[in-house]
């Protein structure tokens, strides 16, 4: 189901990645007030995990439409570096956000789980 949806969006892969990156950047650097609580003390880490999970899949989909070799690895590296840059920018250019190592860990875990999911999906397709 998800694979068919991603393939249907080939034409829009790059604009979707750009729009998502802009939204993620704005959401990370602009003071947006409080976010909805999930009832945990680590709600923001869950949001980080999900945001970077989705971002990794979107970037992979773009590279995959261009038939770039090692699209999963390249996507993961780009998204991890992006996440680190955003955390550093939060510390440098905002007064209301700080660099949080646990946010970076949540971002990386989102990337890792998305990467594993994509790898697992590819293994199943081969059989």
């Amino acid at each position: 189901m998800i694979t068919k949806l991603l393939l249907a969006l080939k034409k829009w892969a790059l604009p979707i990645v750009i729009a998502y990156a802009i939204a993620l950047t704005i959401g990370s650097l602009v003071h947006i007030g409080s976010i909805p609580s999930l009832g945990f003390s680590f709600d923001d880490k869950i949001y980080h995990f999900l945001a970077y999970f989705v971002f990794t899949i979107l970037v992979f989909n773009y590279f995959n439409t261009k038939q770039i070799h090692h699209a999963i690895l390249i996507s993961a590296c780009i998204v991890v570096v992006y996440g680190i840059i955003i955390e550093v920018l939060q510390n440098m250019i905002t007064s209301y956000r700080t660099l949080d190592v646990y946010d970076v860990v949540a971002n990386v875990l989102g990337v890792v789980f998305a990467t594993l999911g994509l790898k697992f999906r590819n293994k199943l397709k081969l059989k």
Side-chain angles (χ1 to χ4, degrees):
M1 170 84 173
I2 292 176
T3 305
K4 288 181 183 178
L5 177 62
L6 291 175
L7 290 175
L9 298 175
K10 272 185 177 182
K11 176 180 172 185
W12 297 99
L14 183 58
I16 290 170
V17 168
I18 292 170
Y20 192 87
I22 290 169
L24 193 55
T25 302
I26 291 170
S28 298
L29 297 176
V30 174
H31 186 61
I32 55 175
S34 64
I35 55 176
S37 176
L38 299 173
F40 302 106
S41 61
F42 51 89
D43 286 353
D44 66 321
K45 306 311 178 243
I46 295 171
Y47 289 127
H48 279 266
F49 176 90
L50 293 174
Y52 284 82
F53 182 92
V54 170
F55 194 29
T56 303
I57 291 171
L58 293 175
V59 172
F60 166 76
N61 183 52
Y62 169 70
F63 285 129
N64 200 37
T65 62
K66 300 298 178 190
Q67 298 176 346
I68 294 176
H69 294 292
H70 308 292
I72 294 174
L73 179 63
I74 294 169
S75 302
C77 291
I78 288 172
V79 175
V80 166
V81 169
Y82 170 87
I84 292 169
I85 290 170
I86 289 295
E87 285 298 320
V88 170
L89 287 175
Q90 284 179 346
N91 197 48
M92 291 174 58
I93 67 173
T94 68
S95 59
Y96 43 85
R97 305 243 178 153
T98 59
L99 188 145
D100 185 355
V101 174
Y102 294 117
D103 286 349
V104 174
V105 170
N107 297 348
V108 170
L109 285 174
V111 171
V112 167
F113 274 78
T115 302
L116 291 173
L118 290 166
K119 279 270 207 208
F120 184 67
R121 178 191 66 105
N122 286 344
K123 297 258 188 233
L124 287 177
K125 281 174 75 175
L126 293 176
K127 291 183 179 184

